Amino acid sequence: MRSGSRKNATYTAFREVGRVIRTVQLLRYLSDAPLRRRVTAATNKVGAFNGFSQWLGFGNRGVIADNDPVEQEKAMKFDALLTNAVVFHNALDIAEIVRQLLEEGWEIGPEDLARISPYLTEHINRFGIGARLPCFCRAFVQSEVTVHTTADAISLWL
């Protein structure tokens, strides 16, 4: 008898144990509201990252046209590198803006920072013409906009 045969007793036992484990996890998920919130938050973060990555990878609508596995891997790694570089740059910009707001006397709490995402696209010009500058936004915030929360102020600076 093959080790993967459906009639193999060990295979059948492990398959049933797997089903029991899945059922227990599902029941735990359904009965534990904080766990559901954590899973939903993690899923939303992954979805936001993937959406951001797709937005950045605008060439050929995300389709890798090359059939060469080496070229496909290069394209995927380039997209990941580009996405991570832009996220890192956005995080640095956000940190600098938070530092400047703190120096100006703003009170910034963890709940304000929790609402900020590094997956910002409004200030990015993918085609390289007429990029917006953060210093331009500073004058805009000071003169024309009513800011309701610290997170609103930070998002306007970007």
Side-chain angles (χ1 to χ4, degrees), residues 13-29:
F14 277 117
R15 186 184 67 204
E16 293 305 316
V17 168
R19 288 178 178 170
V20 168
I21 291 170
R22 272 196 311 272
T23 302
V24 168
Q25 292 293 31
L26 180 60
L27 291 172
R28 182 173 161 237
Y29 176 82

Side-chain angles (χ1 to χ4, degrees), residues 38-84:
R38 286 194 311 272
V39 169
T40 300
T43 303
N44 289 342
K45 287 178 186 177
V46 170
F49 178 85
N50 288 336
F52 183 69
S53 182
Q54 287 175 350
W55 182 84
L56 281 176
F58 58 91
N60 206 18
R61 296 184 183 159
V63 176
I64 300 174
D66 201 326
N67 286 333
D68 181 13
V70 173
E71 292 302 315
Q72 290 174 347
E73 186 175 358
K74 279 186 200 176
M76 291 179 357
K77 286 186 177 183
F78 174 75
D79 285 345
L81 178 63
L82 176 64
T83 301
N84 288 324

Side-chain angles (χ1 to χ4, degrees), residues 17-141:
V17 168
R19 288 178 178 170
V20 168
I21 291 170
R22 272 196 311 272
T23 302
V24 168
Q25 292 293 31
L26 180 60
L27 291 172
R28 182 173 161 237
Y29 176 82
L30 293 173
S31 65
D32 189 352
L35 175 63
R36 285 196 308 273
R37 282 193 291 276
R38 286 194 311 272
V39 169
T40 300
T43 303
N44 289 342
K45 287 178 186 177
V46 170
F49 178 85
N50 288 336
F52 183 69
S53 182
Q54 287 175 350
W55 182 84
L56 281 176
F58 58 91
N60 206 18
R61 296 184 183 159
V63 176
I64 300 174
D66 201 326
N67 286 333
D68 181 13
V70 173
E71 292 302 315
Q72 290 174 347
E73 186 175 358
K74 279 186 200 176
M76 291 179 357
K77 286 186 177 183
F78 174 75
D79 285 345
L81 178 63
L82 176 64
T83 301
N84 288 324
V86 174
V87 166
F88 181 69
H89 187 274
N90 284 346
L92 289 176
D93 286 348
I94 290 169
E96 177 61 21
I97 291 165
V98 167
R99 185 192 62 74
Q100 289 176 5
L101 288 171
L102 288 170
E103 285 178 359
E104 292 175 8
W106 287 75
E107 290 185 26
I108 302 174
E111 64 281 350
D112 295 319
L113 296 176
R115 293 182 56 212
I116 306 292
S117 169
Y119 308 130
L120 305 169
T121 59
E122 295 84 13
H123 66 294
I124 298 171
N125 186 335
R126 298 183 297 175
F127 304 105
I129 301 169
R132 286 177 39 197
L133 301 174
C135 61
F136 175 80
C137 296
R138 179 180 173 90
F140 184 73
V141 169

